Amino acid sequence: MTPAPLAARLSVPSGPLFFPVTAYGPDGSLNLDAYRVHVRRGIEAGAAAVFACCGTGEFHALTPEELEACVRAAVEEAAGRVPVVAGAGYGTALAVRYARLAERAGADGLLAMPPYLVLAGQEGLLRHYRELASATALPVIVYQRDNAVFTPETVVDLARTDGIIGLKDGLGDLDLMQRIVSAVRTEVPGDFLYFNGLPTAEQTQLAYRAIGVPLYSSAVFCFAPEIALAFHTALNSGDDRTVRRLLDGFYRPFVELRAQGRGYAVALVKAGVRLRGLDVGEVRPPLHEPSEDHVKQLAQLIDRGYALLEEDA
């Protein structure tokens, strides 16, 4: 797939952007059968795209070979119905290796995770992402967070780079994002994609949409696709009542529960998938499992979210 078709398919998604968890067996190895079921169910539930082996999918914990196997499985389950975007990251050489493996597995694009550990300057970051973009024919979405934070001028340079089609923001600095959107709109002709990549992005999407960031990732879709889809539909149709009800009754309490443990942006989501009947295993170290009480609270919260949907129906 060339950059333009992927950008077009992502620009006006028909449903939430799905970031599946990665399934493991009891011994901690990949469970590709469970992973395939998870991906297939998400697509059938209305996902507009599959972002395989990214943050929610524990990119940090996967070997290159495991990433290739998962991406290939996701591509086969998608069967062209929706695009599959794969994670790639660490230092430049490893990021290029992951990118080429994802391309070989049939991915339609890449989500470029932040470089490992180092606090690089803008010149070095720009060189890193340009080398990654030139390494394959896959279009690249750059992920801003942690140690990969860009000035508006750098994002303009990224937007001018062949193969880079968008920016996903996991930082949460709305002033910076507004300046980035304005600078790219002023300096670079054409459409550049923006994504809200904060954990539980639904909680902040009203604010992001107001500054020109219409797309967002949905981890909730992993374990409660009907709730995530209802929110996505309500947001895009201007159904403010449903948006507020889901924010107040489900998303805000979920965010507050998520904040009670480090790594819960992944571990709590994976627990939710298990609660809904699919054994995808535990998270790999250095992440840890939620406490029994927190899992119990999550189960109650999921029930409350679905009850809200029944009330609206």
Side-chain angles (χ1 to χ4, degrees), residues 131-194:
E131 289 190 20
L132 177 58
S134 67
T136 75
L138 298 179
V140 176
I141 300 161
V142 175
Y143 198 176
Q144 169 170 265
R145 59 175 293 170
D146 301 321
N147 59 325
V149 178
F150 309 104
T151 65
E153 293 76 17
T154 298
V155 180
V156 167
D157 287 337
L158 289 171
R160 287 174 172 156
T161 300
D162 288 343
I164 297 179
I165 65 169
L167 179 75
K168 181 182 179 185
D169 180 59
L171 181 66
D173 184 336
L174 290 179
D175 174 79
L176 174 60
M177 277 305 297
Q178 181 64 90
R179 289 186 288 118
I180 286 172
V181 171
S182 175
V184 173
R185 183 171 59 228
T186 302
E187 300 293 333
V188 185
D191 296 323
F192 193 66
L193 301 180
Y194 298 99

Side-chain angles (χ1 to χ4, degrees), residues 32-209:
L32 286 177
D33 289 339
Y35 183 72
R36 285 177 176 276
V37 171
H38 182 45
V39 171
R40 184 165 63 249
R41 287 180 180 177
I43 294 170
E44 292 171 351
V50 174
F51 283 69
C53 305
C54 296
T56 308
E58 296 179 78
F59 170 79
H60 67 276
L62 299 175
T63 67
E65 294 76 18
E66 289 174 328
L67 178 135
E68 182 180 12
C70 286
V71 172
R72 189 179 305 280
V75 168
E76 290 172 354
E77 293 302 325
R81 292 176 289 174
V82 299
V84 175
V85 179
Y90 300 117
T92 306
L94 266 179
V96 166
R97 183 182 177 194
Y98 278 103
R100 288 174 175 163
L101 290 173
E103 183 177 43
R104 188 168 74 181
D108 299 302
L110 300 170
L111 178 63
M113 313 294 280
Y116 173 71
L117 193 61
V118 294
L119 292 171
Q122 297 295 295
E123 181 180 354
L125 288 171
L126 183 59
R127 180 181 172 188
H128 169 79
Y129 291 107
R130 281 180 165 169
E131 289 190 20
L132 177 58
S134 67
T136 75
L138 298 179
V140 176
I141 300 161
V142 175
Y143 198 176
Q144 169 170 265
R145 59 175 293 170
D146 301 321
N147 59 325
V149 178
F150 309 104
T151 65
E153 293 76 17
T154 298
V155 180
V156 167
D157 287 337
L158 289 171
R160 287 174 172 156
T161 300
D162 288 343
I164 297 179
I165 65 169
L167 179 75
K168 181 182 179 185
D169 180 59
L171 181 66
D173 184 336
L174 290 179
D175 174 79
L176 174 60
M177 277 305 297
Q178 181 64 90
R179 289 186 288 118
I180 286 172
V181 171
S182 175
V184 173
R185 183 171 59 228
T186 302
E187 300 293 333
V188 185
D191 296 323
F192 193 66
L193 301 180
Y194 298 99
F195 304 76
N196 173 3
L198 289 174
T200 318
E202 287 93 340
Q203 180 72 8
T204 53
Q205 187 51 27
L206 284 170
Y208 269 83
R209 186 176 63 167

